Amino acid sequence: MKHKRLLVTLLALLAGIGGGLGLAAHLLLVDLPSPHSLYDHQAGVSSRILDRSGRLLYEIADPHAGRHTPIPLSEVPLYCQQATIATEDANFYSNPGVDGAGIVRAFWINLQGGEVLAGGSTITQQVARNLLLGPQERAERTLIRKLRESILAWRIARTYSKDQVLALYLNEVNYGNLAYGIEAAARAYFGHGAAELDLAECALLAGLPQSPLLYDPLVNPEAAQERQRVVLGLMVHEGYIDAEQARLAAQEQLHFAAAPFPIAAPHFVMFVRAWLEREFGLQALYSEGLIVTTTLDLDLQQTAERTMRRHLELLAQAGEGSAYHDVNNGALVALDPHSGQILAMVGSPDYFDATIDGAVNAAQALRQPGSAIKPVTYAAAFDPQREQPLTPASVLFDVRTAFPTREGTAYVPLNYDQRFHGPVSAREALACSYNIPAVQVLQDVGVARMVALAGDLGLSSFGAGERFGLALTLGGGEVRLLELTAAYTAFANGGRRVEPYGVSTVRDATGSLRYQARSGLGERALDARVAYLITDILADNEARAPAFGSGSVLALSRPAAVKTGTSSDWRDNWTVGYTPQLAVGVWVGNADGRSMVHVSGVEGAGPIWHDVMEAALRGQPVLAFAEPQGLERQAVCVPSGLLPTPYCLRTRSELFIAGTAPTRPDDWYRPVQIDITTGKPAGPGTDPRQVVERTYIYPPIEVREWARAQGWPLGPASSTAQAPETDYPLVILHPDSGTVYRMSPAVPAAYQSIRVAVRPAAGVALAEVTLYVDGEPLATLVDAPYQALWQLSPGEHVFSAQGVDGAGRSLPSAPVIIHVLP
């Protein structure tokens, strides 16, 4: 009886196991497609991308009904086959079509209750998943899906040869940017067929299928290049190429193109398409018939494209012969400053021109902004929360100035016109884009504070700013045109950060709303009064006239604020500006980073900005910028920026944040009683009848040498004459007389030193030389070079040298005076 019960139990257990296995087999095999149906693709409902008025920009169709051109494996370069195998399935030609280790791993993860993540599949498994499994099952991360995929892959491997499977993969895989299959990808990215691909191009394409969006070389060339290096490394590991071939391929300059296809505003469409893929997934774009209404104004877009092309052609014509400008590319972004809507986006003058890498969206590329970044520095300095905020009337010293660096060397910036302009107001310094005052301001504000404000305004490329020095305010850090234009909108809208966006609504094929955009107007990044001060300066045509003239292209037929920028090596030039209704940023340069030939922002980007702004605003009301509360006007003395006195020769009205206007009377202009018989100040014994009162100017010591050179009427006590250098047998090479050094609290004092160096005049032989600072010996030297380091100390300092020749004769130098600011 007992054995009978045990037998029944065992039979029941076996029946249960059998039933479980049967159920599992049913789940794995039910509706499993036949490998013979690999090419039976069903086209989905296309999605449409529209402009803000409903006009079609682009239709996203099922890729197999669009850009999909299968080619035989014999037409695929061997390098492309090898790069793909090394990257996706190193054991492709030896495995049975499935990844046994991957199946075991999936089984273990499933037992632990986790999701079976994608990745690690063989090429054959990817073919099975992408071509035979339905969209819903393809998206599942379950053990059942993994096993069904593996069974299909195993069957495919027994139905088709390895070369047939590889050809299927290469002809069907998604390479991004609407390109399915390697032939479409070759034409989309490089403008030629797959048969012409070289090693560098093959390696780049082979790295895309893992994440076409992340590694898109037209949007993120840095990530694409890094991925290319990974693929080349895998090829070296598998023995397909050697290390030298990989190195040369990684260094090759690739030229990107896009195969022409019906599309309006192509760079903007690709920008929107990338967003749609992130938000809704690739399959939705091909099967759900999404209707995407964007923020783009197609009329403005087409105007911007025509204007860009016309002015680049004019630059080419004006630059013929010896004045060749060597510039062929540009980008433009137009934004609504109160919402962040992208109204126009031109990534290049011709999306389909491979010779200028036209498919690369320069509106999103990192480039150096030159002086176009200066308003951020001044905005940080105008902050009324600072202990001593800068004001538009604050005097800055545009004279030769050396700034210590952490490396222990001096940074000496120069102006665009290679001239010094002496004491200038912050208004004039920003409006005229003088470099030396901007560096002074950044040193006072601090790089960290400026970088923090840049981040608040939406500039993401500076990071925490640790790698930047004072050159940041002159364009030493790279930015994106889209982000820089968005940062300027905060000046236009009263200080609110703006997040640019391109999609207003998304509906499905039935008309149901899938997405509704909210305004891109974000948190307050700037005090509204600071934003207005920046705007008031950038809109001041009179203030910028000394540098740009009163009739430059920066002046519109309505109030507009604008700033130009040119990188120091002529690689980039910019014009970014705005009215209350519109913000437009323009970049001109070359996509490959090649330097232009003397094309500044006002010559290259400026005319494009001017014409697009005028065209876009034609017929719209002329609006002034709204002045916020909390500002006041005050007369100041020029150039000191202090309160006028009866002796002040020139005054002007200036705008201040309440509480920041000057309270101290001007002390630059002073009356002096002069003895007309001697021309010197009158003394107690001077005949009163021989005394006249004259007004002289007493500028700070930092600009005194500059003022003297300009012929200013300096007060008698300021007049000192120095003998010409040629009158002395020793010449002080460094420092230069009249140089202003500004010490930095961010740099250790021990690193804030300068070099003191002398040389003998022609024909003078030295036995030894002693260097002096303020009359105290610094060093005695017997051999050239005659130089030593002196640690900076605040104040005015006199440098001199005393030499001795072989006969024991004394050889002096002329004195050199410098000024060190704390």
Side-chain angles (χ1 to χ4, degrees), residues 179-253:
Y180 279 74
I182 196 158
E183 175 70 12
R187 295 192 179 280
Y189 289 107
F190 301 115
H192 56 70
E196 301 172 59
L197 293 170
D198 64 14
L199 171 59
E201 294 168 332
C202 285
L204 185 134
L205 292 182
L208 297 182
Q210 184 183 89
S211 181
L213 186 61
L214 177 62
Y215 300 126
D216 186 349
L218 308 183
V219 175
N220 196 349
E222 295 87 359
Q225 188 175 31
E226 179 60 32
R227 177 64 174 161
Q228 179 200 47
R229 283 194 286 265
V230 170
V231 172
L232 290 168
L234 292 171
M235 293 181 72
V236 172
H237 182 268
E238 295 302 321
Y240 293 131
I241 60 175
D242 59 34
E244 178 64 11
Q245 289 176 291
R247 185 185 67 81
L248 293 174
Q251 292 179 349
E252 181 179 322
Q253 178 69 48

Side-chain angles (χ1 to χ4, degrees), residues 93 129 229 278 314 323 366 378 422 434 466 479 490-491 522 535 569 578 628 658 690 715 738 752 800 809:
Y93 276 104
R129 179 172 66 247
R229 283 194 286 265
R278 288 194 300 269
L314 290 174
L366 287 170
Y378 281 85
Y434 297 147
E466 300 92 343
V479 300
F491 301 135
T535 294
D569 50 11
Y578 52 92
Q690 303 300 317
Q752 302 194 55
S800 61
R809 289 174 295 192

Side-chain angles (χ1 to χ4, degrees), residues 51-110:
D51 91 327
R52 65 192 303 113
S53 300
R55 290 174 287 186
L56 181 66
L57 300 176
Y58 185 73
E59 189 167 1
I60 303 175
D62 185 299
H64 302 295
R67 292 189 298 150
H68 178 235
T69 309
I71 59 175
L73 191 63
S74 60
E75 294 183 17
V76 179
L78 182 60
Y79 280 139
C80 289
Q81 300 178 42
Q82 293 170 336
T84 299
I85 292 170
T87 304
E88 297 293 338
D89 187 1
N91 299 316
F92 171 71
Y93 276 104
S94 61
N95 67 42
V98 296
D99 176 13
I103 296 172
V104 172
R105 183 168 58 252
F107 183 79
W108 177 249
I109 293 172
N110 190 74

Side-chain angles (χ1 to χ4, degrees), residues 650-664:
R650 179 184 165 209
T651 64
R652 64 180 173 83
S653 177
E654 187 52 272
L655 190 64
F656 298 90
I657 294 174
T660 65
T663 58
R664 182 163 62 90

